[in-house]
Amino acid sequence: MFILITSASLILIISSLMMLISSILSKKTYIDREKSSPFECGFDPKSSPRLPFSLQFFLIALIFLIFDVEIALLIPLISILKISSTLYFWSIAAFFIFILLAGLYHEWNQGALEWAS
């Protein structure tokens, strides 16, 4: 037990020292305005380098990602059908699809699916 505590303490001390040394060595000493600004063939940029991002597109992509993951969670229901009763399978499937439809209805009510507004 003593060897375990000693080795755990030694590993903790060594890893903490390594993180401390790497954070000290990796810090830049000064911030140069010229180096941190975008470079455009030696001239100052004409406009902002960042383009405006559509928040509506981001929300649609996020909703798609959530529903895509939830649909992927429906795939294991096929294996449940083989090992369980039909009533158990349909109750789980109906409950899961009900949650999906409730989420879709909520998003529709909130107006997140309205693209042209």
Side-chain angles (χ1 to χ4, degrees):
M1 185 68 177
F2 179 72
I3 295 172
L4 183 65
I5 293 173
T6 306
S7 62
S9 301
L10 187 63
I11 290 172
L12 181 68
I13 290 170
I14 290 173
S15 62
S16 298
L17 283 174
M18 293 295 285
M19 286 190 293
L20 180 68
I21 290 171
S22 68
S23 68
I24 289 172
L25 292 177
S26 68
K27 296 211 187 262
K28 292 185 178 181
T29 56
Y30 62 93
I31 297 175
D32 189 12
R33 187 180 75 83
E34 292 296 323
K35 286 185 179 179
S36 63
S37 67
F39 180 72
E40 195 172 301
C41 298
F43 301 104
D44 289 332
K46 292 181 178 180
S47 63
S48 174
R50 303 198 189 275
L51 297 175
F53 187 73
S54 171
L55 185 62
Q56 190 69 29
F57 176 75
F58 176 73
L59 288 176
I60 293 291
L62 192 64
I63 291 169
F64 173 76
L65 182 67
I66 290 170
F67 282 109
D68 192 40
V69 168
E70 289 176 350
I71 294 298
L73 290 175
L74 280 174
I75 294 173
L77 283 179
I78 297 169
S79 63
I80 290 176
L81 181 61
K82 292 180 183 178
I83 60 174
S84 67
S85 68
T86 308
L87 179 65
Y88 183 67
F89 169 76
W90 284 113
S91 62
I92 289 176
F95 180 70
F96 198 79
I97 291 174
F98 172 74
I99 290 174
L100 282 175
L101 289 176
L104 180 65
Y105 177 73
H106 176 71
E107 294 296 330
W108 194 355
N109 246 0
Q110 294 295 320
L113 301 177
E114 295 293 328
W115 186 259
S117 57

